[in-house]
Amino acid sequence: MKKILFVVPLPPPMHGTTFINSKIYNNVNIKKYFKIYFVNSSQSKNFLQLGSINLSKIILFIINYFYLIKKLI
């Protein structure tokens, strides 16, 4: 079975890109033929956090970075 790694933003917040990515994430047909892994690249939890930088976003970025490295190994 082929493996696919998606590094994409997932909801929340729900907007166009995260909506389409959540459709892929929940698609049963893709899961039949591929082993899929997702790394959530979104650090924002709501629309007010979009475009701002704070400590929690930096920490979440570092956690996601190491999770991505783990999945690649």
Side-chain angles (χ1 to χ4, degrees):
M1 183 174 281
K2 293 188 178 189
K3 299 176 186 176
I4 301 176
L5 175 65
F6 291 95
V7 181
V8 294
L10 294 171
M14 181 66 82
H15 53 81
T17 305
T18 60
F19 177 76
I20 297 300
N21 293 335
S22 67
K23 290 286 190 183
I24 295 169
Y25 181 79
N26 295 319
N27 191 315
V28 176
N29 292 327
I30 293 175
K31 292 178 182 179
K32 284 182 191 176
Y33 302 105
F34 300 100
K35 185 157 181 98
I36 59 173
Y37 301 95
F38 279 85
V39 176
N40 187 0
S41 65
S42 176
Q43 286 86 35
S44 300
K45 298 297 177 198
N46 56 46
F47 285 110
L48 297 175
Q49 290 182 341
L50 290 174
S52 66
I53 297 175
N54 58 32
L55 184 60
S56 66
K57 285 176 130 181
I58 294 170
I59 292 170
L60 191 55
F61 173 79
I62 293 169
I63 290 169
N64 286 341
Y65 177 78
F66 285 111
Y67 183 73
L68 174 63
I69 297 298
K70 177 184 170 187
K71 287 296 178 186
L72 289 173
I73 292 174

